[in-house]
């Protein structure tokens, strides 16, 4: 061995390492995602899972680990896990069991966490993520497994510096979590973020989890290392698990940071995966860096063994089939539907689908009703989403029903309303919760007949000879000024018709 | 006859007939506890509300209200079983000041049958022991010879029934903790099938082995208690939905044609000669009752102790992790979290408990798990298969409950292996999940009780109780009482 770890920086090899470019190395990423299941009660007791209640108000003898208390499985959590597994193309176990993961921590009341070690409820599966550019290929990220476990409580440490006692809130203890583990198939930080976005969207669609990251309903750890081409070989850097990733941005940035850090560390010391144990590093949002938490040597031995208080769960084919039959279309199916059956551009389809099932349903009803999916997409993708965003409403709270929206778009398509007037009508509908007809009446919108239009155009030409000359001398765009003036004189004048008539009059 | 000489079923009849009031009954046993407990240390605590409850029952009876089937009957409960609002210590300093906010399912059932909990009985700390010497509250003495152990871990329950400080008691059995003290104290003790009685509210030692059961003078009393405490409990996932049979009804069915297996290996090596003789005498009684005695083999049971002392400590090491000083337990002084854990567990647990936690932690550690826990689990399955085979040929299996009568206090405390061998005949039933009962046979020449064990098919407690009852119809050993004042015996 030419290179030794003891004196790495001065060897000729280290100079060679300095010649390698970061951009030639490949980032290898695997994710472990904890998702809180949307059950009313906890995984092994009847306590509520509501967020934000008074500390320790949602606890009982079971979830506080009182002597003699015993866990009983929440069937709903099993059902939601199966639903999630099916949506991630996972094999669903026919028999799954519970294991104890033993470790001491003040917010872990039993001194062990009930989890699943070797027989997770969901086996191998995969999730396809959208290509980052339109011409790219969809990427398949393999799922290794997904298992159910109970959450721990929350420690609230004294940060005053006066060394006061830490406090513990056990409301969260026993909340059901599904831990989804991917294979190391992710290759960029952006891809990691895309995976999480798609996962979150799917779990939202199937009502398994709201994945609210502020409330900690989706937490992520990332396993990261680098493959670096070096001479004839490919060097793998030591694997690092980054903990505490509480936002998509943190996932993206921490991976980017960690890849760079590993590259520099390798250039410095030449350590490879064979030389160093797996490290755990924490992401610090303030400093935007990862810091060492522990190395494998002193990591806990969890002493997993089957929980004797619980029996193995048998899952029947019929149960899986029943859950499968109730599964509605997933985001990917809907994107395909909107692109292929409704002729939307894939970017537009993604925007609609990313808004959730409610917006998709709204779009489908309107597009079917007005029989023009492009117009439906333009109006919903822009006007409706903007209004929802501004008013911080969900589509379910939006005051215009799909039927009313369809009626409005029909008027636009027929030319009865132009785009601008149509938007005025929509605003009135939203503001006053009224139908398009009522809004039209309120706004005083009336059809303009042909003779009125002729009079209007003649007047325009008379009063704006300078503009007419510009048009005649080849500046076609100048006609816009006349159309604008026409709208001021009569807001009901259809700009398309005005333009056509003016063009005819001026050219003759 | 004084109340303390009567069987529980007779006391219940007298209470129902108005011949005695619940208040008088409870007072009678409280008086006896007052007189004798200092010497026996069978009770850790007497229930302060027992008399009040008795008065309430008398009121209700007077008012003509319908009452539960145990109305007014005093009952002692092992201190490892939660009674709401009453200190429940499991014999440990760790839980010295712990009062659970809830009732164990069996306590709830006993209360709704209007039984009166008279007190909590002494036990080996967290049920780990075979002598009740491992209690933080001091050892219990055997009323037959106060210098001898009552057995364990339910030693307090056994001693209080033998000394008639309570008509009946509840114990728990993980490897023999009901049957071995029943044998040492000359009473009847039943370990039900795993899942027959809810474990909800039983402070866990080894969850896959623990069962709650009755400790009484007669099999009939055990049947009476079983009719109240047995049955499915939705709060215990391991409790069984198997139909509960009428334990009292089948007691009188004759034993003619019942096949009883005897394992010769269990009647030879290491067995006290007198115990062997008395068990053989008892076999003759069963023959007279019409049972067919057949020889069987249980080859794997020789590994039972080894498997048991892996599996039980493994589970215990995890079950006892919750006693960390953070919530309801004793908490030692410390400067930081790590030190608080160390001091609390170091000072709060006794030596035997610490030893078993270390054993279990070691056996579950990565690199040892396969060699210990997994292998022991395999042995456990093989023991179960042994029983399955045997029960194709016979209905019951008969043998001694323990290799010797009660040993002296301190005799085995320095030799854990000798202590562990006290469980040699009892642990197999826990590993296999089958029911087993211990009944008194003729005492030793020096007057120490000897127990006979019957084991049956899972969920066939009725056959065990029936055979024990028929045996007690023919013999009087279960009616013998230690003489007062209590004596010692060298
Ligand atoms: Zn709870």
């Amino acid at each position: 061995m030419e290179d030794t770890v003891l004196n790495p920086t001065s060897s000729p090899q280290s100079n060679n390492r300095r010649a390698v470019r970061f951009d030639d190395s490949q980032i290898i990423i695997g994710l472990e995602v904890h998702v809180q299941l949307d059950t009313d009660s906890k995984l092994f007791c009847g306590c509520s899972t509501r967020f934000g209640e008074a500390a320790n108000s949602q606890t009982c003898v079971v979830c506080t680990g009182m002597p003699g208390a015993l866990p009983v499985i929440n069937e709903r959590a099993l059902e939601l896990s199966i639903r999630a597994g099916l949506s991630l193309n996972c094999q669903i176990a026919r028999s799954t069991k519970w294991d104890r993961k033993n470790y001491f921590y003040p917010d872990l009341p039993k001194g062990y966490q009930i989890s699943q070690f070797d027989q997770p409820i969901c086996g191998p599966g995969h999730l396809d993520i959208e290509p980052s550019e339109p011409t790219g290929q969809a990427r398949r990220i393999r799922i290794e497994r997904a298992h159910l476990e109970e959450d721990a409580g929350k420690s609230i440490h004294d940060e005053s510096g006066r060394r006061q006692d830490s406090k513990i809130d056990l409301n969260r203890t026993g909340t059901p979590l599904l831990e989804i583990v991917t294979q190391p198939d992710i290759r960029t930080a952006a891809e990691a973020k895309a995976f999480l976005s798609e996962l979150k969207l799917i779990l939202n669609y199937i009502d398994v989890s709201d994945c609210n990251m502020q409330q900690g309903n989706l937490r992520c750890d990332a396993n990261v290392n680098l493959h670096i081409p070096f001479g004839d070989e490919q060097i793998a850097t030591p694997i690092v698990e980054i903990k505490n990733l509480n936002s998509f941005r943190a996932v993206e940035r921490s991976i980017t940071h960690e890849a760079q850090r590993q590259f520099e560390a390798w250039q410095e010391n030449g350590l490879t995966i064979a030389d160093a144990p797996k490290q755990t590093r924490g992401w610090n949002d303030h400093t935007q860096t990862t810091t060492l938490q522990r190395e494998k040597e002193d990591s806990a031995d969890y002493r997993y063994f089957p929980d004797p208080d619980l029996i193995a769960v048998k899952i029947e084919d019929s149960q899986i089939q029943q859950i499968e039959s109730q599964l509605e279309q997933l985001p990917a199916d809907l994107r395909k539907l909107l692109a292929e059956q409704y002729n939307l551009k894939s970017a537009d389809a993604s925007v609609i689908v990313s808004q959730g099932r409610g917006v998709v349903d709204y779009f489908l009803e309107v597009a079917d009703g007005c029989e023009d999916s492009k117009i439906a997409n333009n109006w919903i993708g822009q006007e409706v989403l903007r209004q929802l965003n501004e008013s911080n409403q969900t589509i379910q709270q939006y005051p215009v029903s799909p039927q009313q929206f369809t009626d409005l778009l029909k008027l636009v398509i027929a030319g009865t309303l132009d785009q601008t007037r149509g938007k005025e009508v929509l605003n009135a509908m939203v503001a006053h919760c009224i139908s398009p007809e009522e809004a039209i009446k309120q706004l005083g919108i009336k059809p303009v007949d042909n003779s009125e239009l002729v009079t209007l155009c003649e007047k325009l030409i008379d009063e704006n000879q300078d503009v007419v000359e510009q048009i005649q001398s080849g500046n076609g765009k100048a006609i816009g000024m006349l159309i604008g003036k026409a709208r001021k004189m009569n807001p009901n004048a259809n700009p398309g018709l005005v333009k056509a008539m003016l063009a005819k009059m001026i050219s003759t | 006859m004084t109340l303390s000489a009567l069987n529980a079923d007779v006391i219940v009849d007298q209470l129902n007939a108005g011949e005695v009031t619940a208040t008088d009954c409870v007072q009678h046993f409280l008086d006896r506890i007052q007189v004798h407990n200092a010497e026996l240390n069978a009770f850790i605590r007497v229930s302060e509300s027992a008399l009040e409850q008795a008065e309430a029952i008398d009121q209700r009876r007077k008012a003509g209200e319908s009452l539960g089937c145990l109305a007014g009957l005093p009952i002692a409960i092992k201190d490892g079983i939660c009674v709401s609002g009453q200190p429940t210590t499991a014999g440990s300093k760790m839980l010295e000041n712990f009062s659970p906010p809830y009732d164990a399912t069996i306590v709830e059932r006993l209360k709704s049958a209007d039984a009166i909990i008279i007190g909590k009985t002494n036990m080996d700390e967290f049920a780990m022991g075979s002598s009740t010497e491992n209690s933080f509250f001091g050892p219990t003495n055997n009323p037959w010879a106060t210098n001898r152990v009552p057995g364990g871990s339910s030693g307090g329950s056994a001693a209080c029934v033998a000394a008639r400080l309570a008509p009946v008691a509840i114990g728990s059995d993980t490897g023999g903790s009901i049957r071995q003290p029943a044998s040492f104290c000359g009473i009847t003790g039943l370990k039900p099938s795993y899942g027959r009685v809810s474990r909800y509210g039983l402070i866990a030692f080894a969850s896959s082995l623990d069962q709650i059961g009755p400790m009484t003078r007669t099999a009939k009393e055990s049947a009476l208690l079983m009719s109240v405490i047995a049955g499915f409990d939705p709060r215990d996932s391991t409790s069984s939905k198997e139909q509960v049979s009428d334990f009292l009804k089948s007691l009188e069915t004759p034993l003619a044609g019942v096949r009883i297996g005897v394992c010769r290996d269990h009647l030879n090596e290491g067995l006290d000669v007198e115990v062997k003789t008395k068990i053989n005498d008892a076999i003759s009684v069963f023959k007279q009752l019409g049972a067919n005695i057949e020889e069987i083999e249980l080859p794997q049971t020789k590994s039972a102790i080894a498997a048991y002392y892996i599996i039980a400590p493994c589970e215990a090491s995890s079950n006892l992790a919750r006693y960390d000083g953070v919530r309801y337990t004793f908490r030692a002084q410390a400067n930081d979290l790590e030190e608080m854990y160390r001091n609390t567990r170091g000072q709060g647990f006794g030596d035997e408990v610490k030893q078993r936690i270390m054993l279990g932690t070691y056996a579950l550690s990565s690199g040892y798990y396969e060699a210990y826990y997994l292998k022991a689990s395999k042995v456990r399955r093989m023991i179960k298969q042994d029983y399955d085979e045997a029960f194709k040929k016979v209905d019951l299996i008969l043998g001694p409950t323990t290799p010797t009568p009660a040993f002296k206090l301190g005799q085995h405390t320095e030799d854990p292996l000798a202590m562990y061998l006290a469980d040699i005949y009892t642990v197999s039933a826990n590993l296999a999940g089958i029911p087993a009962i211990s009944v008194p046979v003729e005492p030793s020449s020096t007057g120490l009780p000897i127990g006979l064990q019957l084991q049956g098919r899972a969920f066939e407690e009725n056959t065990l109780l029936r055979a024990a009852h028929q045996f007690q119809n023919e013999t009087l050993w279960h009616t013998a009482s230690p003489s007062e004042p209590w004596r010692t015996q060298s």
Side-chain angles (χ1 to χ4, degrees):
Chain A
M1 203 165 129
E2 304 155 76
D3 187 13
T4 65
V5 176
L6 294 174
N7 192 11
T9 42
S10 58
S11 69
Q13 280 272 342
S14 78
N15 294 331
N16 290 346
R17 287 200 302 272
R18 301 230 173 254
V20 177
R21 290 176 343 130
F22 175 72
D23 288 348
D24 292 332
S25 59
Q26 177 70 66
I27 315 178
I28 309 293
I29 305 157
L31 297 179
E32 290 171 19
V33 189
H34 287 87
V35 172
Q36 182 182 327
L37 300 180
D38 250 337
T39 55
D40 294 333
S41 57
K42 295 183 179 180
L43 188 52
F44 295 112
C45 65
C47 292
S48 164
T49 54
R50 258 194 320 275
F51 180 78
E53 300 292 314
N56 296 307
S57 64
Q58 300 185 136
T59 57
C60 68
V61 295
V62 177
C63 59
T64 56
M66 282 277 173
L70 296 171
V72 176
I73 181 68
N74 178 343
E75 297 286 337
R76 179 80 181 148
L78 290 175
E79 190 189 323
L80 293 186
S81 301
I82 295 171
R83 205 190 284 173
L86 290 171
S87 305
L88 297 171
N89 309 291
C90 290
Q91 291 166 24
I92 306 299
R94 296 307 190 269
S95 175
T96 182
K97 72 173 175 64
W98 308 99
D99 300 282
R100 292 186 183 176
K101 180 180 180 180
N102 296 285
Y103 65 97
F104 286 100
Y105 205 75
D107 61 20
L108 188 72
K110 298 189 295 292
Y112 59 84
Q113 177 193 31
I114 305 177
S115 181
Q116 300 193 296
F117 182 59
D118 57 352
Q119 290 178 33
I121 184 160
C122 303
H126 63 261
L127 172 59
D128 293 333
I129 51 178
E130 294 288 289
S132 42
E133 61 257 36
T135 53
Q137 290 275 306
R139 288 265 295 130
R140 171 157 295 187
I141 309 300
R142 288 170 302 156
I143 310 276
E144 188 187 316
R145 57 182 279 169
H147 67 259
L148 256 173
E149 62 187 26
E150 55 176 352
D151 205 348
K154 228 167 70 183
S155 295
I156 303 148
H157 298 295
D158 177 42
E159 279 164 9
S160 69
R162 288 194 297 266
R163 284 180 64 96
Q164 288 173 2
D165 287 347
S166 294
K167 293 191 167 66
I168 292 160
D169 178 3
L170 296 180
N171 280 354
R172 207 179 63 187
T173 310
T175 308
L177 297 178
L178 190 67
E179 180 175 339
I180 301 160
V181 183
T182 77
Q183 295 280 2
D185 286 353
I186 299 169
R187 293 290 173 267
T188 65
E191 216 166 79
K193 186 183 169 192
F195 173 87
L196 288 171
S197 307
E198 186 68 4
L199 179 66
K200 176 177 170 172
L201 193 62
I202 290 174
L203 297 175
N204 269 319
Y205 264 77
I206 60 174
D207 294 324
V208 160
S209 174
D210 66 5
C211 296
N212 184 328
M213 289 187 91
Q214 279 82 48
Q215 295 182 5
N217 297 356
L218 189 154
R219 283 168 263 161
C220 181
D221 303 332
N223 286 291
V224 178
N225 79 337
L226 289 180
H227 285 181
I228 306 168
F230 187 53
D232 295 338
E233 15 167 26
Q234 174 111 303
I235 303 287
T237 57
I239 296 175
V240 165
E241 182 175 3
I242 317 172
K243 295 255 184 203
N244 295 341
L245 301 175
N246 294 321
S247 70
F248 288 177
R249 209 169 63 167
V251 171
E252 214 176 357
R253 290 189 175 179
S254 68
I255 292 171
T256 305
H257 163 84
E258 178 58 25
Q260 190 68 45
R261 191 199 64 77
Q262 286 186 19
F263 185 75
E264 286 163 14
W266 172 76
Q267 282 191 321
E268 188 73 18
N269 60 26
L271 292 182
T272 72
I273 194 163
D275 307 319
K278 182 172 161 177
Q279 269 186 10
T280 300
R281 298 179 72 90
W283 171 246
N284 185 321
D285 247 332
H286 300 293
T287 61
Q288 298 278 305
T289 55
T290 61
T291 48
L292 183 65
Q293 286 184 336
R294 65 164 185 251
E295 294 194 75
K296 202 183 174 185
E297 274 92 357
D298 53 47
S299 79
D301 174 0
Y302 291 119
R303 290 173 281 117
Y304 280 101
F305 78 106
D307 190 331
D309 286 333
L310 289 159
I311 49 172
V313 178
K314 301 282 172 219
I315 301 168
E316 303 293 331
D317 289 350
S318 58
Q319 194 185 349
I320 297 172
Q321 280 157 11
Q322 210 225 338
I323 294 171
E324 198 158 26
S325 70
Q326 291 165 343
L327 264 185
E328 298 195 39
Q329 282 167 303
L330 295 175
D333 304 325
L334 291 166
R335 275 188 214 106
K336 201 170 166 208
L337 177 84
L338 296 191
E340 289 176 4
Q341 311 275 324
Y342 289 82
N343 299 312
L344 298 196
K345 281 188 238 157
S346 68
D348 291 338
S350 289
V351 168
I352 296 280
V353 171
S354 69
Q355 298 303 311
R357 180 82 227 183
V359 171
V360 175
D361 288 341
Y362 196 95
F363 168 82
L364 292 175
E365 195 173 339
V366 172
D368 290 344
C370 74
E371 296 176 343
D372 188 333
S373 56
K374 292 261 179 216
I375 295 231
N377 174 58
N378 288 343
W379 281 70
I380 293 171
Q382 288 161 32
E383 292 307 306
V384 175
L385 295 188
R386 184 181 51 76
Q387 285 171 343
L388 290 178
N389 196 27
E390 283 169 1
S391 60
N392 199 17
Q393 281 178 320
T394 65
I395 191 73
Q396 285 78 14
Q397 298 165 309
Y398 191 59
V400 180
S401 73
Q403 185 55 54
Q404 289 173 328
F405 208 97
T406 304
D407 293 344
L408 169 66
L409 292 193
K410 278 181 177 165
L411 294 172
V412 173
I413 292 162
T416 315
L417 293 172
D418 62 68
Q419 292 276 333
T420 314
R421 295 247 80 183
K423 283 171 191 170
E424 286 171 30
V425 171
L426 176 61
N427 288 338
M429 290 167 72
V430 170
H432 306 293
C433 299
I434 50 178
S435 68
E437 293 74 24
E438 287 167 313
I440 286 168
K441 211 171 149 194
Q442 212 176 75
L443 293 167
I445 298 174
K446 278 188 284 230
V448 179
D449 71 23
N450 204 46
S451 64
E452 273 179 89
L453 213 55
V454 170
T455 316
L456 179 76
C457 289
E458 283 170 353
K459 201 169 171 210
L460 275 171
I461 290 170
D462 280 353
E463 290 174 3
N464 297 286
Q465 276 302 316
D466 52 336
V467 181
V468 172
E469 277 163 27
Q470 280 186 43
I471 296 166
Q472 283 168 336
S473 64
N475 183 2
K477 281 185 184 167
I479 200 163
M481 286 170 67
L482 295 182
I483 295 168
K485 285 172 193 282
R487 181 171 285 281
K488 279 189 189 132
M489 290 160 69
N490 183 349
N492 291 327
N494 183 311
L497 295 178
V498 169
K499 184 182 176 186
M501 190 166 282
L502 283 172
K504 206 171 156 198
M505 285 176 166
I506 291 167
S507 70
T508 49
Chain B
M1 266 211 281
T2 74
L3 273 167
S4 49
L6 299 177
N7 292 344
D9 45 309
V10 178
I11 295 177
V12 169
D13 286 345
Q14 292 197 356
L15 285 163
N16 284 335
E19 292 165 26
V20 61
T21 64
T23 312
D24 289 345
C25 182
V26 167
Q27 190 63 60
H28 175 83
F29 285 100
L30 287 176
D31 290 346
R32 284 191 60 79
I33 295 170
Q34 177 75 37
V35 172
H36 296 290
N37 197 53
E39 199 177 345
L40 295 180
N41 198 30
F43 283 89
I44 293 178
R45 203 171 300 93
V46 172
S47 167
E48 286 166 9
S49 58
L51 263 182
E52 226 170 89
Q53 288 170 42
E55 283 161 14
I57 297 235
D58 287 333
Q59 291 288 326
R60 284 170 56 202
R61 199 189 300 277
K62 226 187 259 170
E65 281 180 44
S66 75
L67 295 168
C69 67
L70 301 178
L73 180 72
I75 185 165
I77 308 275
K78 187 178 184 179
D79 209 28
I81 297 170
C82 290
V83 177
S84 179
Q86 289 192 26
T88 297
T89 68
S92 181
K93 175 187 168 89
M94 192 61 99
L95 293 175
E96 192 180 359
N97 297 307
F98 171 66
S99 285
Y102 75 107
D103 276 332
T105 296
I106 67 116
V107 169
E108 207 174 82
R109 290 184 180 200
L110 288 167
K111 282 181 176 175
S112 64
D114 291 319
I116 293 168
I117 293 163
I118 195 167
K120 302 295 289 292
T121 59
N122 201 8
M123 59 188 284
D124 284 302
E125 184 179 7
F126 288 104
M128 296 178 193
S130 307
S131 68
T132 316
E133 290 169 290
N134 300 332
S135 170
F136 174 65
F137 302 94
T140 295
N141 300 324
N142 190 324
W144 292 90
T146 52
N147 58 334
R148 289 180 181 260
V149 303
S153 63
S154 312
S157 287
C160 83
V161 172
R164 310 287 181 240
L165 308 190
V168 290
I170 295 288
S172 71
D173 189 317
T174 306
S177 282
I178 286 176
R179 291 159 287 157
Q180 185 254 18
S183 162
F184 280 11
C185 290
I187 66 164
T188 303
L190 171 69
K191 181 205 89 78
S193 317
Y194 188 75
R196 176 86 296 176
V197 177
S198 169
R199 292 186 297 114
Y200 187 78
L202 168 65
I203 297 181
F205 162 15
S207 313
S208 75
L209 302 160
D210 295 342
Q211 265 294 289
I212 292 173
M215 302 180 75
T216 60
R217 185 189 304 198
T218 66
K220 189 175 183 185
E221 291 169 301
S222 281
L224 179 66
L225 293 187
M226 280 297 284
S227 67
V228 173
I229 64 173
F232 174 68
D233 177 11
R235 288 176 296 194
D236 174 2
S237 308
T238 63
S239 94
S240 171
K241 287 183 175 163
E242 190 83 24
Q243 184 84 34
V244 178
S245 44
D246 187 334
F247 301 112
L248 286 162
K249 204 171 154 189
S250 53
L251 288 179
E252 301 300 340
T253 313
L255 287 189
V258 168
R259 297 164 302 170
I260 298 180
V262 175
C263 185
R264 283 292 149 200
D265 290 347
H266 293 185
L267 282 174
N268 288 322
E269 219 176 318
L271 186 63
D272 178 280
V273 182
E274 254 193 321
V275 173
K276 184 177 174 178
T277 313
K278 308 304 177 193
I279 296 298
N280 278 326
D281 291 349
I283 290 173
S284 315
V285 176
F286 279 104
K287 276 185 190 157
Q288 283 163 32
L289 284 165
N292 302 327
I293 307 296
E294 286 168 39
E295 284 210 18
I296 53 149
E297 280 181 18
L298 295 167
Q300 296 301 333
T301 51
K302 65 179 188 302
S303 313
I305 284 280
Y308 175 83
Y309 277 98
I310 299 291
I311 291 169
C314 282
E315 293 184 13
S317 71
S318 174
N319 282 334
L320 271 62
R322 67 188 64 197
Y323 309 112
D324 57 5
V326 175
R327 291 163 309 277
Y328 38 75
T329 61
F330 159 76
R331 180 189 292 172
Q333 287 297 315
N335 293 312
D336 59 34
L337 180 66
E338 172 94 19
E339 196 182 304
M340 193 276 279
Y341 282 153
R342 285 178 188 282
N343 293 356
T344 297
R345 291 171 68 81
Q347 296 163 27
F349 289 137
D351 288 346
E352 181 64 27
V353 170
K354 280 188 269 194
Q355 177 164 298
R356 296 202 198 188
I357 289 174
M358 285 190 284
L359 262 171
T361 303
Y362 178 83
L364 285 177
S365 298
S366 116
Y368 299 100
Y369 179 80
E370 287 78 10
Y372 292 105
Y373 182 83
L374 272 192
K375 191 154 193 192
S377 302
K378 263 181 215 151
V379 170
R380 183 178 188 173
R381 276 195 296 279
M382 288 161 76
I383 289 171
K384 201 167 175 301
Q385 284 163 7
D386 263 12
Y387 277 109
D388 289 345
E389 282 306 309
F391 284 126
K392 284 178 188 164
K393 287 184 267 178
V394 296
D395 304 304
L396 295 170
I397 295 169
L398 182 153
T401 308
T402 59
T404 64
F407 46 86
K408 285 184 195 156
L409 284 154
Q411 190 177 331
H412 290 333
T413 44
E414 297 307 314
D415 184 0
L417 201 60
M419 187 78 93
Y420 293 175
L421 287 175
D423 299 334
I424 190 160
Y425 301 126
T426 48
V427 293
S428 299
N430 300 77
L431 290 168
I434 58 170
I437 195 167
S438 178
V439 292
V441 296
E442 185 179 355
S444 73
S445 53
T446 54
L448 291 174
I450 293 172
L452 166 144
Q453 176 176 244
L454 291 168
Q455 303 175 92
R457 292 188 195 95
F459 304 108
E460 291 191 5
E461 286 83 0
N462 54 340
T463 313
L464 287 182
L465 288 164
R466 173 182 148 209
H469 177 71
Q470 297 286 319
F471 178 76
Q472 291 178 344
N473 277 346
E474 292 302 308
T475 57
L476 291 171
W477 314 121
H478 61 287
T479 63
S481 279
S483 55
E484 299 171 30
W486 321 115
R487 288 182 297 208
T488 60
Q489 206 235 79
S490 54

